[in-house]
């Protein structure tokens, strides 16, 4: 049985999916907190969709405003 080819995302698609900007992506990559892309050409990289989806699923959810009100 053949393994399906992974779906590859451009940086713009990653930004849209994760709702973070380019500089944040590269800062998180440098710190080891974001998936590294695959080199697909001399000047082209792509991220594996499943790795991005996994990263998103590990992010904490907002809990809203927990401050007590009078």
């Amino acid at each position: 049985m053949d393994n399906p080819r992974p779906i590859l995302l451009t940086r713009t698609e990653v930004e849209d999916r994760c709702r973070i900007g380019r500089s944040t992506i590269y800062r998180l990559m440098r710190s080891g907190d974001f998936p590294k892309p695959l080199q697909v050409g001399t000047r082209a990289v792509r991220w594996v969709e499943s790795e991005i989806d996994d990263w998103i699923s590990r992010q904490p959810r907002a809990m809203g405003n927990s401050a007590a009100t009078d």
Side-chain angles (χ1 to χ4, degrees):
M1 183 171 167
D2 292 326
N3 289 336
R5 289 183 184 216
I7 296 172
L8 302 178
L9 304 173
T10 65
R11 192 196 76 239
T12 302
E13 291 170 325
V14 171
E15 290 174 8
D16 290 345
R17 188 172 288 209
C18 297
R19 299 292 187 220
I20 57 177
R22 178 181 65 190
S23 60
T24 302
I25 288 170
Y26 286 104
R27 180 177 46 80
L28 290 170
M29 283 176 22
R30 279 192 304 276
S31 68
D33 295 325
F34 197 79
K36 297 227 183 318
L38 302 173
Q39 189 82 39
V40 296
T42 305
R43 297 181 61 200
V45 296
R46 298 291 184 268
W47 283 262
V48 177
E49 179 184 46
S50 61
E51 292 177 6
I52 297 301
D53 290 343
D54 289 343
W55 180 85
I56 291 169
S57 70
R58 292 191 311 268
Q59 300 313 298
R61 298 197 182 265
M63 299 305 290
N65 186 355
S66 62
T69 58
D70 291 327

